[in-house]
Amino acid sequence: KNEVEQSPQNLTAQEGEFITINCSYSVGISALHWLQQHPGGGIVSLFMLSSGKKKHGRLIATINIQEKHSSLHITASHPRDSAVYICAVPSSGGSNYKLTFGKGTLLTVNP
Amino acid sequence: DAMVIQNPRYQVTQFGKPVTLSCSQTLNHNVMYWYQQKSSQAPKLLFHYYDKDFNNEADTPDNFQSRRPNTSFCFLDIRSPGLGDAAMYLCATSRDTGPADTQYFGPGTRLTVL
């Protein structure tokens, strides 16, 4: 089973700061997902990464397959970015649909 | 906009009284999933449909059932809710079941059991 570790668990920032959330996993994968969940809310899929880097607005996600590590960056953070950010990796073999979720990083951005 | 819709957003039921949660999608995806998420925990996959094929997770209690009458709709039935079934229930869809297939989640239904 893939072990997914996220750091930090909690992160507090001031508006405008650059944010980095890290994710590492133990078993090689072909894709990794970054998700966002606002408190009490549903989940939004932010990125699916299989290599390199993706950018969407102020969000940037990178992955290093060899090092089994991914990072999510938020530039010019805003209070509306406050949410739990979750890294998830698919299981190997025939159950690729089954995601192993990290414990999440609770981000609070203060105005 | 194409999306995943869940109804109701909040559901209150009594201990032992059957309840049905609804999910619909306009993405025309093959796969629909149901997850249970308890407070401060990761979502737990209950089961999924690939088209009409039902796939139950080994540790999903028999109390949880599902129906998918057509591509767009999927229902979660809890036959006799217990207090431990109070949770957020998330529906998700994906085009296929590959590792790179993004799962699109609905807003969730928060179930309270009295």
Side-chain angles (χ1 to χ4, degrees):
Chain A
K1 186 184 172 184
N2 217 334
E3 302 291 332
V4 181
E5 299 285 338
Q6 281 187 242
S7 63
Q9 281 192 304
N10 292 282
L11 182 55
T12 300
Q14 288 301 122
E15 184 172 356
E17 285 185 4
F18 181 83
I19 304 293
T20 295
I21 299 169
N22 295 299
C23 175
S24 59
Y25 48 92
S26 57
V27 178
I29 55 168
S30 55
L32 179 144
H33 301 266
W34 280 103
L35 311 168
Q36 178 196 56
Q37 186 170 31
H38 283 98
I43 291 175
V44 174
S45 181
L46 298 175
F47 293 103
M48 185 285 297
L49 285 167
S50 53
S51 65
K53 175 180 172 178
K54 283 190 177 178
K55 184 175 190 289
H56 186 258
R58 293 180 296 105
L59 301 178
I60 303 166
T62 63
I63 189 167
N64 186 320
I65 294 288
Q66 286 73 31
E67 293 188 5
K68 299 187 180 64
H69 182 269
S70 176
S71 293
L72 177 68
H73 306 284
I74 305 175
T75 61
S77 58
H78 191 276
R80 65 174 174 266
D81 297 326
S82 299
V84 176
Y85 292 84
I86 305 166
C87 153
V89 300
S91 297
S92 56
S95 302
N96 293 153
Y97 60 88
K98 197 163 181 181
L99 297 173
T100 299
F101 296 89
K103 290 187 177 175
T105 295
L106 175 61
L107 171 65
T108 304
V109 181
N110 294 317
Chain B
D1 284 355
M3 54 198 304
V4 181
I5 302 160
Q6 289 188 245
N7 286 304
R9 294 292 307 278
Y10 300 90
Q11 176 74 57
V12 180
T13 191
Q14 291 182 328
F15 183 94
K17 185 174 179 182
V19 66
T20 294
L21 309 183
S22 168
C23 177
S24 64
Q25 55 133 341
T26 60
L27 296 158
N28 204 33
H29 282 170
N30 292 309
V31 193
M32 295 186 79
Y33 309 82
W34 280 105
Y35 288 88
Q36 178 193 63
Q37 187 180 27
K38 296 188 177 179
S39 184
S40 301
Q41 294 184 20
K44 177 179 181 297
L45 182 64
L46 297 174
F47 26 59
H48 76 279
Y49 273 94
Y50 192 113
D51 196 12
K52 295 180 181 177
D53 292 332
F54 178 70
N55 298 272
N56 199 27
E57 293 300 306
D59 55 356
T60 298
D62 292 341
N63 200 25
F64 292 87
Q65 304 284 318
S66 186
R67 297 169 282 137
R68 188 178 185 186
N70 53 51
T71 300
S72 301
F73 284 87
C74 194
F75 300 99
L76 170 62
D77 301 307
I78 308 176
R79 293 194 297 190
S80 181
L83 298 179
D85 296 327
M88 173 77 90
Y89 289 88
L90 295 161
C91 173
T93 75
S94 65
R95 190 182 309 276
D96 209 311
T97 53
D101 282 290
T102 297
Q103 293 186 23
Y104 295 85
F105 287 82
T109 295
R110 183 165 296 283
L111 178 68
T112 300
V113 182
L114 300 176

PDB file of all heavy atoms in Angstrom, chain A residues 12 24 26-27 29 33-34 74 92 101 104 106 109:
ATOM      1  N   THR A  12      -0.420  28.601   8.501  1.00  0.00           N
ATOM      2  CA  THR A  12      -1.068  29.906   8.603  1.00  0.00           C
ATOM      3  C   THR A  12      -0.197  30.913   7.890  1.00  0.00           C
ATOM      4  O   THR A  12       1.021  30.951   8.094  1.00  0.00           O
ATOM      5  CB  THR A  12      -1.267  30.312  10.076  1.00  0.00           C
ATOM      6  OG1 THR A  12      -2.079  29.340  10.712  1.00  0.00           O
ATOM      7  CG2 THR A  12      -1.957  31.670  10.169  1.00  0.00           C
ATOM      8  N   SER A  24       4.787  13.527  -0.260  1.00  0.00           N
ATOM      9  CA  SER A  24       5.688  12.454  -0.673  1.00  0.00           C
ATOM     10  C   SER A  24       4.961  11.121  -0.542  1.00  0.00           C
ATOM     11  O   SER A  24       4.033  10.984   0.260  1.00  0.00           O
ATOM     12  CB  SER A  24       6.975  12.467   0.168  1.00  0.00           C
ATOM     13  OG  SER A  24       6.672  12.305   1.531  1.00  0.00           O
ATOM     14  N   SER A  26       5.337   6.576  -1.117  1.00  0.00           N
ATOM     15  CA  SER A  26       6.346   5.521  -0.952  1.00  0.00           C
ATOM     16  C   SER A  26       6.486   4.601  -2.163  1.00  0.00           C
ATOM     17  O   SER A  26       7.540   4.007  -2.368  1.00  0.00           O
ATOM     18  CB  SER A  26       6.018   4.683   0.289  1.00  0.00           C
ATOM     19  OG  SER A  26       4.714   4.129   0.175  1.00  0.00           O
ATOM     20  N   VAL A  27       5.429   4.497  -2.968  1.00  0.00           N
ATOM     21  CA  VAL A  27       5.452   3.561  -4.098  1.00  0.00           C
ATOM     22  C   VAL A  27       5.315   4.355  -5.391  1.00  0.00           C
ATOM     23  O   VAL A  27       4.503   5.270  -5.479  1.00  0.00           O
ATOM     24  CB  VAL A  27       4.301   2.539  -3.986  1.00  0.00           C
ATOM     25  CG1 VAL A  27       4.299   1.593  -5.194  1.00  0.00           C
ATOM     26  CG2 VAL A  27       4.402   1.755  -2.693  1.00  0.00           C
ATOM     27  N   ILE A  29       4.354   5.847  -8.881  1.00  0.00           N
ATOM     28  CA  ILE A  29       3.016   6.054  -9.436  1.00  0.00           C
ATOM     29  C   ILE A  29       3.155   6.655 -10.826  1.00  0.00           C
ATOM     30  O   ILE A  29       4.221   7.117 -11.221  1.00  0.00           O
ATOM     31  CB  ILE A  29       2.190   7.023  -8.571  1.00  0.00           C
ATOM     32  CG1 ILE A  29       2.950   8.340  -8.383  1.00  0.00           C
ATOM     33  CG2 ILE A  29       1.837   6.393  -7.232  1.00  0.00           C
ATOM     34  CD1 ILE A  29       2.118   9.449  -7.796  1.00  0.00           C
ATOM     35  N   HIS A  33      -2.791  13.413  -7.758  1.00  0.00           N
ATOM     36  CA  HIS A  33      -3.868  14.399  -7.792  1.00  0.00           C
ATOM     37  C   HIS A  33      -3.753  15.348  -6.602  1.00  0.00           C
ATOM     38  O   HIS A  33      -3.469  14.920  -5.477  1.00  0.00           O
ATOM     39  CB  HIS A  33      -5.221  13.690  -7.735  1.00  0.00           C
ATOM     40  CG  HIS A  33      -5.446  12.720  -8.856  1.00  0.00           C
ATOM     41  ND1 HIS A  33      -6.101  13.050 -10.021  1.00  0.00           N
ATOM     42  CD2 HIS A  33      -5.079  11.418  -8.989  1.00  0.00           C
ATOM     43  CE1 HIS A  33      -6.132  11.992 -10.816  1.00  0.00           C
ATOM     44  NE2 HIS A  33      -5.523  10.994 -10.229  1.00  0.00           N
ATOM     45  N   TRP A  34      -3.980  16.612  -6.859  1.00  0.00           N
ATOM     46  CA  TRP A  34      -4.133  17.610  -5.793  1.00  0.00           C
ATOM     47  C   TRP A  34      -5.595  18.040  -5.741  1.00  0.00           C
ATOM     48  O   TRP A  34      -6.190  18.371  -6.772  1.00  0.00           O
ATOM     49  CB  TRP A  34      -3.245  18.829  -6.039  1.00  0.00           C
ATOM     50  CG  TRP A  34      -1.818  18.621  -5.641  1.00  0.00           C
ATOM     51  CD1 TRP A  34      -0.758  18.378  -6.454  1.00  0.00           C
ATOM     52  CD2 TRP A  34      -1.292  18.660  -4.303  1.00  0.00           C
ATOM     53  NE1 TRP A  34       0.400  18.252  -5.718  1.00  0.00           N
ATOM     54  CE2 TRP A  34       0.098  18.422  -4.387  1.00  0.00           C
ATOM     55  CE3 TRP A  34      -1.852  18.867  -3.035  1.00  0.00           C
ATOM     56  CZ2 TRP A  34       0.932  18.396  -3.271  1.00  0.00           C
ATOM     57  CZ3 TRP A  34      -1.025  18.838  -1.931  1.00  0.00           C
ATOM     58  CH2 TRP A  34       0.354  18.605  -2.049  1.00  0.00           C
ATOM     59  N   ILE A  74       1.094  28.190  -3.958  1.00  0.00           N
ATOM     60  CA  ILE A  74       0.091  29.231  -4.175  1.00  0.00           C
ATOM     61  C   ILE A  74       0.814  30.568  -4.131  1.00  0.00           C
ATOM     62  O   ILE A  74       1.465  30.900  -3.125  1.00  0.00           O
ATOM     63  CB  ILE A  74      -1.019  29.204  -3.105  1.00  0.00           C
ATOM     64  CG1 ILE A  74      -1.656  27.819  -3.029  1.00  0.00           C
ATOM     65  CG2 ILE A  74      -2.075  30.271  -3.407  1.00  0.00           C
ATOM     66  CD1 ILE A  74      -2.676  27.674  -1.910  1.00  0.00           C
ATOM     67  N   SER A  92      -1.922   0.874  -7.323  1.00  0.00           N
ATOM     68  CA  SER A  92      -1.315   0.215  -8.477  1.00  0.00           C
ATOM     69  C   SER A  92      -2.149  -1.007  -8.856  1.00  0.00           C
ATOM     70  O   SER A  92      -3.123  -1.356  -8.190  1.00  0.00           O
ATOM     71  CB  SER A  92       0.119  -0.198  -8.136  1.00  0.00           C
ATOM     72  OG  SER A  92       0.110  -1.016  -6.993  1.00  0.00           O
ATOM     73  N   PHE A 101      -5.360   8.838   0.002  1.00  0.00           N
ATOM     74  CA  PHE A 101      -5.339  10.272   0.293  1.00  0.00           C
ATOM     75  C   PHE A 101      -4.313  10.579   1.364  1.00  0.00           C
ATOM     76  O   PHE A 101      -4.151   9.820   2.331  1.00  0.00           O
ATOM     77  CB  PHE A 101      -6.706  10.728   0.804  1.00  0.00           C
ATOM     78  CG  PHE A 101      -7.827  10.601  -0.188  1.00  0.00           C
ATOM     79  CD1 PHE A 101      -8.562   9.427  -0.271  1.00  0.00           C
ATOM     80  CD2 PHE A 101      -8.154  11.644  -1.033  1.00  0.00           C
ATOM     81  CE1 PHE A 101      -9.606   9.298  -1.186  1.00  0.00           C
ATOM     82  CE2 PHE A 101      -9.197  11.530  -1.946  1.00  0.00           C
ATOM     83  CZ  PHE A 101      -9.921  10.352  -2.024  1.00  0.00           C
ATOM     84  N   GLY A 104      -3.975  15.670   4.457  1.00  0.00           N
ATOM     85  CA  GLY A 104      -4.398  17.030   4.175  1.00  0.00           C
ATOM     86  C   GLY A 104      -3.573  18.071   4.898  1.00  0.00           C
ATOM     87  O   GLY A 104      -2.986  17.809   5.958  1.00  0.00           O
ATOM     88  N   LEU A 106      -4.167  21.888   6.300  1.00  0.00           N
ATOM     89  CA  LEU A 106      -5.134  22.957   6.559  1.00  0.00           C
ATOM     90  C   LEU A 106      -4.435  24.298   6.417  1.00  0.00           C
ATOM     91  O   LEU A 106      -3.547  24.639   7.207  1.00  0.00           O
ATOM     92  CB  LEU A 106      -5.733  22.812   7.957  1.00  0.00           C
ATOM     93  CG  LEU A 106      -6.667  23.948   8.394  1.00  0.00           C
ATOM     94  CD1 LEU A 106      -7.864  24.060   7.458  1.00  0.00           C
ATOM     95  CD2 LEU A 106      -7.134  23.740   9.832  1.00  0.00           C
ATOM     96  N   VAL A 109      -5.330  31.577   5.505  1.00  0.00           N
ATOM     97  CA  VAL A 109      -4.701  32.811   5.038  1.00  0.00           C
ATOM     98  C   VAL A 109      -5.434  33.986   5.692  1.00  0.00           C
ATOM     99  O   VAL A 109      -6.633  34.177   5.485  1.00  0.00           O
ATOM    100  CB  VAL A 109      -4.765  32.936   3.502  1.00  0.00           C
ATOM    101  CG1 VAL A 109      -4.069  34.223   3.057  1.00  0.00           C
ATOM    102  CG2 VAL A 109      -4.139  31.716   2.838  1.00  0.00           C
TER     103      VAL A 109
END
